[in-house]
Amino acid sequence: MRNASIDRLAKIISDKPENNPDSKQSSTARALREVHIGLAEGWFSLILLAIVVYSTIWSVQAAGWVDHLNLLTVTTGLGLVVGVGASKQTRVSRLVVHLLALGVCLLLAFWQTAGAFYHGSAGELLRGMQHWLATAFTGGTGNDDSIFLFFILTLGFMLAYTSVWLVYRTRNPWLMIMANAVVLLINLSSVDAGYIIFLIVFLMASLLLLLRFNLYESTLRWRKQGLRYPDDIGWDVMQAGAIISVCILIFSWVLPGTYTNNTAAQVWNSSSNPWQQAQNTWNRIISLNGGANPSNHGNFRDSLTLGGNPNLNHDVVFTVESADGTVYFETLNYETYDQHKSGWSNGQTEALPWKANDAFTTDASVMVHTLTQKITMVSSLSEQYPYILGAPDVASYNAASSVLRSKASGSVVAWLGKNGNLNAGTKYTVTSYISSADVKTLQNVPTPANAPHYPPEYDGQSDPHVFSQPVVDTYTQLPNGLDPNILAKAKQVVTDAHATTMYDKVVALELFFRNNYTYSTNIQLPPGEEGVSWFLFRNTDHKGFCNYFSTSMTVMARSLGIPSRVVVGYTNGEVDPKTHQRVVRGTDAHSWTQVYFAGYGWVNFEPSAGFTSFSRPLPNQFSAGGTSGGTSGISGGAVTPVTGRGRRGVADDTSSGGSTATTAQVQVQIRQQVGTAVGSVILLLLFGGLLFLLWWRRLFRRYSLSTQFYGRLCVLANWAGIQLRPSQTPYEYIHGVAASAPQEALVLERLGDIYVRDKWADPMSVEHPLRSGEINELPALWRGIQPRLILFVLRHPSFLRWIPQRIGASIALVLRRRRARKAFEEGV
């Protein structure tokens, strides 16, 4: 007998093509009908891959770096589509495919950015890019939000495209996961703790994708080797992998995550670290106005721009040993406000070389006391110049340095180290002059307009309340064309407060901001707006962070003729109970206002809501000996701490300086608690769902196929309130279930009929499902009806009523047994 396959092959070879003019068209139609779009690795692998990528993209959108990040959703989707097509085609070389994908990516990002920021004008965007490149290569600071959006859109497309290519073409899912993880973790460090859900989803999808991919690779190898494996191995492996993944997540969730090793932090945060150098360069060329800035622990430059979220992280910056733990730490101050840039800068300066430990005479000539601080840097500061941190006003530094002074006013702008920036591990000692002036003393200082004036040639004894005219001219400067409503508002505030002295007017302005605005970093200055005018009159939420508070108060004070300036640095941090040192973190970076009082120098004021205001010393609280700023040496007398000052509202929940939790702190705590609770609930639900699936999959597994499905059907019906009574036959029970769900009656009765005949029919008869082949219909019937039965249970959740009853009955049984045991013991 000839082999049937040989006969079939001979027939195919001998068959002549039909002489039908439409045969070509018919074959084409058949080919089109036979087209099957699919992935060898399965569509589920692509779904998992998309979840991994979109978890990363969602974290970028949650960080809110810049406006119009919603465009990332579509851009990333297109990247996935292009990536699938590129990785599955084999006709075009890899280089050509990548170049085409990059071209599509750049054109798409360019088109979307132009539409978002320049109303579709490509020329305007090109000019903006040219200006940004010129600024970046000349060492300037780039602050064009459109450039950042262009980078982000390009990143989103290429990340999706590369992820698909790594999985489906280079067969390297681990590298894909690592690339996405880097982007995800960078963004998660800049958002509230509640967004940890993105990490949970990312890890779950990544682990399942690895299992799915490795299973696919294994099945290919098994097929080549001729090995057999169960048809449902995919489900079993994914089910076990999901349970293991959830267990890993739960174990990771309960591990402590707040440990910080300062030594390791110093090595990692060293300015010589390539990562830190790259981060500093990135922070310089990408400085956002409308959105958030890259995560940082303080970024101090010769200019300060009002913009979006400063995005300060919780890194330890330095530790301090000091007798007074309430002072702030000044880096530098600014003198000139530019309304067009909505920011601060300094005019021409001069650097005066200064020897180690030599005392420098500052603007404060009377009523000051000295304070010595020993500072240890843990992280390198992100500074444009090597600014030295210390309590205002710095009097001496224990290494060679230079004093940066304003040429216009002669006031100190900052102290600069001669040995470069303050790198991680640097230890130094700085001594500062702290104002001892009490409230009544400051109230006696008149405004510059009412203060005594002497001609330049006057050489007699002068009144201590005489203002330096260069200081007044420099620090009352305001730009031309500033909104006149600012002055009107300042006058209204001091009038309503019945303030007459300069000190009372400044306090009135301070309280105005503290009482009428709330602290929040999640704001954005609208394009084209002047910062102070917008913050005062068009900021409908009355929210802002320290830069807005300090700038607005300073501008309002200047409009009243009061010399004032903006200062940047850090607040007082918190006490480490182990070392008894103060620990200052990135979230303590801050700006505040200083006002110049003739004879007493620059005095600190805290306008930011949510921060404790500065406390003034009591009269005669500090001795007069050794306190003059004009002495040749520095006295290190004892210092009595005063009331603690508040820390940033986005830092930890308490401060050892005595400040209470601020509204911003409470909000952050609530968000963290809610995020933790939501994450815990999601993990528990995932774990519970996987355990249920595992139990459900193995339910009645030792029985025949028909018994398995009939038993599960009975369980679902029982949960819906349709109980199986002992007197009922399977047909009667199925009829009862079908009566409650008539739309499923035919399938239910078919399942019941196959079950009965499989259970009780003669195995040798043609009516038995095994003989008739009907047993093979059961999996398809069950897969079709199971989801509808589950939905029926969810619509009729009778089990919710008897769960409390069973719990109550169990408790009652335990109590009865306990009473019976107690009665037995008493009887004995």
Side-chain angles (χ1 to χ4, degrees):
M1 181 180 293
R2 298 181 61 185
N3 190 290
S5 60
I6 296 177
D7 292 341
R8 174 62 178 165
L9 179 61
K11 185 176 184 302
I12 292 175
I13 295 175
S14 61
D15 282 347
K16 296 181 180 181
E18 298 178 3
N19 295 323
N20 186 353
D22 296 331
S23 60
K24 185 176 182 180
Q25 182 177 358
S26 301
S27 61
T28 303
R30 285 195 304 271
L32 290 175
R33 286 195 299 268
E34 293 172 358
V35 168
H36 176 68
I37 300 176
L39 285 174
E41 297 83 356
W43 287 108
F44 186 57
S45 66
L46 181 60
I47 294 174
L48 292 173
L49 175 60
I51 293 175
V52 170
V53 174
Y54 269 105
S55 299
T56 306
I57 297 302
W58 291 333
S59 71
V60 176
Q61 293 174 324
W65 300 110
V66 71
D67 293 335
H68 310 294
L69 285 178
N70 57 301
L71 297 173
L72 271 174
T73 302
V74 177
T75 304
T76 304
L78 291 174
L80 290 172
V81 173
V82 173
V84 171
S87 61
K88 290 301 181 181
Q89 67 82 33
T90 56
R91 295 178 179 272
V92 185
S93 66
R94 295 187 178 187
L95 178 60
V96 175
V97 167
H98 293 334
L99 290 176
L100 288 174
L102 181 61
V104 172
C105 170
L106 294 176
L107 289 175
L108 179 63
F110 187 89
W111 170 64
Q112 289 182 313
T113 304
F117 280 95
Y118 297 100
H119 305 288
S121 175
E124 290 291 331
L125 178 56
L126 284 174
R127 282 189 287 273
M129 288 182 171
Q130 182 180 5
H131 179 267
W132 174 80
L133 285 173
T135 302
F137 283 110
T138 55
T141 301
N143 55 3
D144 190 342
D145 289 358
S146 64
I147 302 298
F148 189 80
L149 179 64
F150 177 78
F151 281 142
I152 287 294
L153 292 176
T154 304
L155 172 67
F157 184 98
M158 293 307 299
L159 184 65
Y161 172 84
T162 306
S163 297
V164 175
W165 184 273
L166 289 173
V167 172
Y168 292 135
R169 193 62 174 263
T170 65
R171 325 301 289 179
N172 198 340
W174 274 108
L175 189 57
M176 180 275 298
I177 292 172
M178 291 175 61
N180 282 270
V182 170
V183 179
L184 176 69
L185 294 177
I186 290 175
N187 287 277
L188 287 184
S189 65
S190 308
V191 297
D192 292 338
Y195 289 107
I196 194 69
I197 183 62
F198 293 147
L199 180 60
I200 295 174
V201 173
F202 175 86
L203 292 175
M204 282 293 299
S206 299
L207 292 171
L208 292 177
L209 178 62
L210 288 173
L211 285 172
R212 178 77 180 182
F213 186 81
N214 289 331
L215 176 63
Y216 171 75
E217 295 287 308
S218 298
T219 55
L220 288 181
R221 185 171 64 254
W222 294 339
R223 289 173 188 171
K224 290 180 181 179
Q225 295 174 352
L227 300 176
R228 300 189 63 182
Y229 54 89
D231 294 335
D232 60 348
I233 190 174
W235 168 257
D236 290 338
V237 171
M238 296 300 293
Q239 178 179 263
I243 294 175
I244 294 173
S245 301
V246 172
C247 291
I248 293 174
L249 290 177
I250 293 176
F251 179 71
S252 303
W253 190 267
V254 300
L255 289 177
T258 57
Y259 172 74
T260 301
N261 186 290
N262 288 344
T263 303
Q266 288 179 359
V267 175
W268 173 252
N269 295 316
S270 173
S271 60
S272 60
N273 187 330
W275 171 255
Q276 293 296 325
Q277 294 176 348
Q279 188 177 19
N280 292 337
T281 303
W282 175 261
N283 291 342
R284 177 180 63 82
I285 65 176
I286 299 294
S287 179
L288 302 179
N289 290 322
N293 294 294
S295 176
N296 64 93
H297 50 255
N299 191 10
F300 304 105
R301 313 193 66 78
D302 59 2
S303 61
L304 178 70
T305 304
L306 301 182
N309 194 327
N311 197 22
L312 301 171
N313 56 40
H314 206 59
D315 293 347
V316 176
V317 183
F318 59 94
T319 60
V320 185
E321 294 181 32
S322 174
D324 185 354
T326 65
V327 296
Y328 282 7
F329 300 88
E330 178 179 349
T331 302
L332 74 157
N333 54 72
Y334 303 100
E335 63 182 27
T336 305
Y337 180 67
D338 188 335
Q339 65 172 333
H340 299 293
K341 296 182 180 179
S342 289
W344 293 90
S345 61
N346 286 305
Q348 292 184 348
T349 57
E350 58 181 356
L352 179 65
W354 206 253
K355 295 180 180 179
N357 297 317
D358 276 5
F360 183 84
T361 303
T362 67
D363 298 316
S365 59
V366 297
M367 296 192 72
V368 294
H369 60 276
T370 58
L371 175 67
T372 299
Q373 299 166 311
K374 295 181 179 180
I375 296 177
T376 301
M377 301 303 300
V378 177
S379 301
S380 299
L381 289 180
S382 178
E383 300 176 302
Q384 185 175 359
Y385 301 106
Y387 300 120
I388 296 172
L389 283 164
D393 291 318
V394 174
S396 71
Y397 175 63
N398 68 334
S401 59
S402 59
V403 181
L404 193 67
R405 296 193 302 184
S406 167
K407 286 187 176 181
S409 66
S411 296
V412 176
V413 173
W415 281 61
L416 302 176
K418 282 293 184 66
N419 298 323
N421 290 23
L422 297 176
N423 296 325
T426 301
K427 296 182 179 181
Y428 68 93
T429 301
V430 63
T431 302
S432 303
Y433 296 124
I434 310 298
S435 175
S436 305
D438 57 87
V439 172
K440 190 167 185 61
T441 299
L442 296 175
Q443 286 176 331
N444 290 329
V445 179
T447 59
N450 299 325
H453 290 79
Y454 295 95
E457 64 276 5
Y458 179 79
D459 58 356
Q461 185 176 3
S462 61
D463 191 296
H465 294 158
V466 174
F467 282 85
S468 167
Q469 196 58 43
V471 171
V472 174
D473 293 340
T474 301
Y475 294 102
T476 57
Q477 166 272 338
L478 286 175
N480 296 326
L482 191 66
D483 187 353
N485 292 320
I486 297 175
L487 173 59
K489 187 66 176 179
K491 290 181 177 179
Q492 177 189 345
V493 170
V494 298
T495 301
D496 293 344
H498 305 289
T500 55
T501 69
M502 186 172 77
Y503 178 82
D504 292 338
K505 291 178 180 179
V506 176
V507 171
L509 294 176
E510 181 185 43
L511 292 176
F512 165 73
F513 289 103
R514 298 175 63 82
N515 296 334
N516 294 281
Y517 292 83
T518 56
Y519 194 93
S520 173
T521 57
N522 296 320
I523 66 168
Q524 295 180 356
L525 179 63
E529 287 276 12
E530 187 276 311
V532 176
S533 180
W534 171 81
F535 183 67
L536 290 174
F537 307 116
R538 293 179 294 282
N539 178 14
T540 55
D541 294 333
H542 283 197
K543 293 181 178 180
F545 54 91
C546 55
N547 293 351
Y548 287 88
F549 283 98
S550 59
T551 296
S552 299
M553 178 177 172
T554 301
V555 170
M556 291 180 74
R558 289 188 177 190
S559 69
L560 297 174
I562 300 173
S564 53
R565 66 188 184 187
V566 169
V567 186
V568 295
Y570 291 90
T571 60
N572 57 334
E574 62 181 354
V575 171
D576 185 344
K578 295 181 179 179
T579 63
H580 303 291
Q581 296 180 348
R582 298 202 74 84
V583 178
V584 180
R585 300 179 180 274
T587 46
D588 294 314
H590 192 47
S591 70
W592 64 98
T593 299
Q594 286 182 346
V595 175
Y596 185 79
F597 289 82
Y600 306 101
W602 293 97
V603 178
N604 295 316
F605 289 86
E606 180 56 274
S608 295
F611 290 72
T612 302
S613 59
F614 290 94
S615 297
R616 308 297 170 205
L618 299 175
N620 303 318
Q621 180 176 350
F622 298 95
S623 61
T627 62
S628 174
T631 58
S632 60
I634 296 178
S635 172
V639 178
T640 304
V642 294
T643 305
R645 294 162 192 154
R647 299 176 59 230
R648 288 187 55 85
V650 294
D652 284 347
D653 55 347
T654 59
S655 173
S656 58
S659 61
T660 58
T662 65
T663 303
Q665 288 174 328
V666 173
Q667 291 175 352
V668 171
Q669 291 175 17
I670 292 175
R671 286 197 296 269
Q672 291 177 345
Q673 293 171 358
V674 170
T676 302
V678 171
S680 302
V681 169
I682 291 175
L683 279 177
L684 289 175
L685 289 177
L686 285 173
F687 188 66
L690 290 173
L691 287 179
F692 173 79
L693 289 176
L694 180 62
W695 171 78
W696 184 254
R697 178 73 175 177
R698 297 180 179 277
L699 188 62
F700 306 116
R701 192 166 186 172
R702 297 180 179 179
Y703 298 91
S704 65
L705 198 61
S706 63
T707 305
Q708 290 181 33
F709 295 149
Y710 180 76
R712 294 174 190 171
L713 188 152
C714 293
V715 170
L716 290 175
N718 186 44
W719 288 349
I722 308 173
Q723 297 182 357
L724 174 62
R725 294 189 294 272
S727 60
Q728 285 183 307
T729 65
Y731 283 127
E732 292 173 339
Y733 185 66
I734 288 295
H735 287 318
V737 176
S740 299
Q743 65 275 15
E744 312 297 341
L746 292 177
V747 178
L748 289 172
E749 291 177 356
R750 178 67 173 162
L751 281 172
D753 180 60
I754 294 176
Y755 165 71
V756 170
R757 287 187 286 116
D758 181 49
K759 190 76 173 177
W760 288 284
D762 184 0
M764 302 304 296
S765 68
V766 294
E767 294 182 355
H768 197 278
L770 286 175
R771 303 278 295 178
S772 64
E774 293 172 292
I775 198 72
N776 298 324
E777 299 178 15
L778 287 177
L781 290 174
W782 180 248
R783 283 196 300 269
I785 197 174
Q786 180 179 235
R788 297 194 290 271
L789 289 177
I790 293 175
L791 290 176
F792 181 80
V793 172
L794 294 177
R795 289 194 299 266
H796 306 83
S798 178
F799 63 93
L800 294 179
R801 292 194 296 268
W802 52 258
I803 286 179
Q805 296 174 359
R806 293 193 176 184
I807 294 176
S810 300
I811 295 174
L813 179 61
V814 171
L815 292 176
R816 285 198 302 270
R817 289 178 177 176
R818 184 174 297 176
R819 286 196 296 268
R821 185 168 57 251
K822 185 177 180 180
F824 174 77
E825 291 174 352
E826 291 176 352
V828 173

